[in-house]
Amino acid sequence: MPIMIASSAMQKMAHPEGELATARAASAAGTIMALSTLATSSIEEVASTGPGIRFFQLYVMKDRSIVTQLVERAEKAGFKAIVLTVDTPRVGRREADIKNRFILPQHLTLENFEGLDLGMLNRTDSPILVDRSLNWKDVKWLQTITKLPILLKGVLTAEDENYLICSERIMALEEIVKDVERRIPVFLDGGVRRGTDVFKALALGASGVFIGRPVVFSLAVHGEAGVRKVLQMLRDEFELTMALSGCRTVEEITRNHVMLDTKTPRISPNL
């Protein structure tokens, strides 16, 4: 199904099984999971949960040897793509984290960095290790160290169309899809809460969507079973929207199936 699981860090804060439970649920649903670099389960642990298609989310760090090691481990573990985050040269002001004095609990670690001396990585300012000078040369470099497809996460403008793979906002989606002329797939990541949201995204040209918070919330409530349930709920809502729109297959979903309200930033299924 075109509903996949986005990379979300530190999932063992939500449930003791964390990313392992999410991986099993994704496999059971027949969909793709993206594993965060800042996961509390390692690449190898997630791979050991059984069959399933998995992507690895990556930051380009100042120490390129760490990047190379992570990519090589992901390839060896059978991951099928690298999801490169390109919109985090600096982290936004997370006022809730500041207010709550958030740090990773002492009983948890970022397992992909086990054994490496990375100092402040376990704190909320972990992207301090991310290379803020990231540019297209780094993307080209990444292509030289892996044969895996590279998806760019965080593109919000058609100006990046030469390398575009991934988008985060539905209001930018249609502009980007038109600009790349379907030469490459475009995915919507963020803000998807209902099956109707999935339908809208596909109608505007997305090849699929990634969901984050619904997975983490359901993981916190009921572990693997919770993630399975939220994936099934989204699938059912999406299929119902298709049926009510007269679409027998995903390929039959077109731009004519949604209306854009030009007065307010709202998109509705054309039922």
Side-chain angles (χ1 to χ4, degrees), residues 251-265:
E251 289 74 23
E252 291 183 3
I253 302 173
T254 69
R255 180 62 177 82
N256 293 330
H257 286 106
V258 293
M259 295 184 297
L260 177 62
D261 187 339
T262 57
K263 295 181 180 179
T264 58

Side-chain angles (χ1 to χ4, degrees), residues 160-192:
D160 292 330
E161 59 99 11
N162 287 334
Y163 298 90
L164 174 66
I165 299 290
C166 194
S167 172
E168 286 189 341
R169 296 292 183 269
I170 199 165
M171 297 308 295
L173 174 61
E174 189 170 26
E175 174 195 7
I176 294 171
V177 169
K178 287 181 179 178
D179 204 62
V180 300
E181 298 177 342
R182 296 189 181 276
R183 287 171 291 164
I184 49 179
V186 177
F187 301 102
L188 180 74
D189 176 9
V192 175

Side-chain angles (χ1 to χ4, degrees), residues 59-262:
Y59 296 105
V60 171
M61 301 184 179
K62 296 174 183 177
D63 187 339
R64 294 295 195 272
S65 67
I66 296 176
V67 177
T68 300
Q69 291 178 50
L70 291 171
V71 170
E72 289 177 348
R73 288 169 58 191
E75 283 192 6
K76 184 177 180 180
F79 284 59
K80 300 301 183 183
I82 300 297
V83 180
L84 176 64
T85 296
V86 298
D87 66 340
T88 315
R90 298 190 68 172
V91 176
R93 182 175 173 82
R94 298 174 176 175
E95 294 183 351
D97 288 350
I98 296 171
K99 179 181 178 181
N100 296 325
R101 299 179 182 178
F102 169 75
I103 60 172
L104 187 65
Q106 291 185 355
H107 71 285
L108 297 178
T109 56
L110 301 177
E111 291 295 318
N112 288 323
F113 300 99
E114 185 67 21
L116 298 176
D117 182 13
L118 299 179
M120 299 289 286
L121 190 63
N122 278 6
R123 298 180 60 85
T124 56
D125 53 0
S126 58
I128 193 172
L129 297 174
V130 175
D131 191 342
R132 294 177 177 174
S133 68
L134 176 69
N135 57 57
W136 296 119
K137 292 181 180 179
D138 297 305
V139 178
K140 287 291 187 181
W141 169 77
L142 186 58
Q143 290 177 316
T144 68
I145 67 169
T146 182
K147 295 181 180 179
L148 295 178
I150 299 171
L151 291 77
L152 304 186
K153 180 182 186 298
V155 175
L156 287 173
T157 172
E159 293 176 358
D160 292 330
E161 59 99 11
N162 287 334
Y163 298 90
L164 174 66
I165 299 290
C166 194
S167 172
E168 286 189 341
R169 296 292 183 269
I170 199 165
M171 297 308 295
L173 174 61
E174 189 170 26
E175 174 195 7
I176 294 171
V177 169
K178 287 181 179 178
D179 204 62
V180 300
E181 298 177 342
R182 296 189 181 276
R183 287 171 291 164
I184 49 179
V186 177
F187 301 102
L188 180 74
D189 176 9
V192 175
R193 298 293 182 269
R194 304 298 297 265
T196 49
D197 297 333
V198 181
F199 185 90
K200 295 172 194 176
L202 268 62
L204 291 174
S207 297
V209 303
F210 284 87
I211 59 171
R213 292 190 185 191
V215 169
V216 177
F217 292 163
S218 59
L219 178 67
V221 172
H222 204 188
E224 178 185 341
V227 179
R228 288 193 185 207
K229 183 174 182 179
V230 78
L231 290 172
Q232 188 62 51
M233 288 171 62
L234 287 168
R235 180 196 290 268
D236 291 345
E237 290 177 0
F238 176 54
E239 289 184 346
L240 178 59
T241 306
M242 287 179 59
L244 293 175
S245 302
C247 298
R248 296 166 296 179
T249 66
V250 169
E251 289 74 23
E252 291 183 3
I253 302 173
T254 69
R255 180 62 177 82
N256 293 330
H257 286 106
V258 293
M259 295 184 297
L260 177 62
D261 187 339
T262 57

Side-chain angles (χ1 to χ4, degrees), residues 18-60:
E19 294 86 359
L20 306 182
T22 301
R24 291 193 296 266
S27 179
T31 195
I32 296 169
M33 171 194 176
L35 178 68
S36 172
T37 290
L38 305 180
T40 42
S41 302
S42 70
I43 293 169
E44 293 77 13
E45 288 174 325
V46 169
S48 72
T49 61
I53 299 176
R54 288 147 195 151
F55 296 169
F56 181 67
Q57 177 271 329
L58 177 71
Y59 296 105
V60 171

